[in-house]
C-alpha cells in the first residue's frame, strides 16, 4: 500500500507549510528555546533535541498546544507519555481542520495519554503551584 501524500511518506510536514510555522504574533524572548523538528512527533529519534533539552532542565511535564491537534500535537503527546513525561493537552489551545478530528484526539488523550485541560484550567494550576492568585 502506498501513501497518498508525500507528507505521509516522509512522516514530516513539508517545508514552509503554514501549519508548520511559528505563529507570527507569538512573543519569543531571548531565553526561550525554539526546537525545530523533522517529524510529526518531536520525540521520534533524530526528529529534534526536545527530550535532551527537557532532561537537561529537569522538566518532567509537557503542556501541549498547537496544530494540528490530530497530527503533531497528538504524536508528540503520545510519545511523551510513553517516555514517562506527565502530559497536559490543552483543549482550547490546539486546533485541526475539523471538529470531529479535534474531538476524537481529545477523547484519546483523556482516555489514555494525557490530562486534558482548558487554557484557564492550566493557568489556574500553574499559578496555584507558584503560589500566585489566579
Amino acid at each position: 500500500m502506498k501513501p497518498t501524500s508525500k507528507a505521509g511518506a516522509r512522516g514530516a510536514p513539508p517545508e514552509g507549510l503554514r501549519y508548520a510555522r511559528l505563529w507570527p504574533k507569538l512573543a519569543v524572548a531571548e531565553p526561550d528555546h525554539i526546537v525545530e523538528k523533522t517529524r510529526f512527533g518531536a520525540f521520534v529519534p533524530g526528529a529534534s533535541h526536545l527530550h535532551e533539552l527537557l532532561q537537561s532542565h529537569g522538566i518532567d511535564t509537557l503542556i501541549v498546544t498547537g496544530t494540528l491537534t490530530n497530527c503533531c500535537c497528538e504524536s508528540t503527546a503520545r510519545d511523551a507519555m510513553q517516555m514517562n513525561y506527565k502530559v497536559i493537552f490543552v483543549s482550547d489551545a490546539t486546533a485541526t481542520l475539523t471538529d470531529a478530528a479535534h474531538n476524537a484526539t481529545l477523547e484519546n488523550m483523556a482516555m489514555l495519554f494525557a490530562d486534558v485541560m482548558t487554557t484557564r484550567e492550566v493557568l489556574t494550576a500553574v499559578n496555584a503551584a507558584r503560589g500566585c492568585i489566579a
Side-chain angles (χ1 to χ4, degrees):
M1 185 170 165
K2 292 184 179 179
T4 58
S5 74
K6 290 181 180 175
R10 287 196 321 265
E15 287 284 325
L17 184 68
R18 70 182 171 112
Y19 306 124
R21 292 191 301 244
L22 194 60
W23 183 251
K25 294 183 181 181
L26 186 65
V28 179
E30 183 62 36
D32 293 338
H33 296 277
I34 296 176
V35 177
E36 293 189 22
K37 62 184 180 66
T38 59
R39 309 298 278 179
F40 291 130
F43 291 101
V44 171
S48 77
H49 68 282
L50 180 61
H51 176 63
E52 293 77 15
L53 179 65
L54 296 171
Q55 295 293 295
S56 72
H57 290 283
I59 296 170
D60 67 353
T61 304
L62 269 64
I63 300 173
V64 178
T65 65
T67 61
L68 293 168
T69 305
N70 60 328
C71 188
C72 295
C73 298
E74 182 172 357
S75 297
T76 296
R78 284 174 177 250
D79 290 344
M81 177 271 193
Q82 293 290 327
M83 295 175 71
N84 296 319
Y85 286 96
K86 298 172 198 147
V87 180
I88 299 169
F89 203 91
V90 189
S91 60
D92 60 349
T94 51
T96 196
L97 303 177
T98 68
D99 287 343
H102 180 76
N103 291 331
T105 293
L106 295 179
E107 186 174 329
N108 285 337
M109 290 294 113
M111 287 181 17
L112 301 167
F113 300 103
D115 290 325
V116 176
M117 302 170 79
T118 65
T119 299
R120 180 177 300 280
E121 291 169 332
V122 171
L123 293 175
T124 298
V126 168
N127 287 332
R130 290 182 171 173
C132 301
I133 298 172

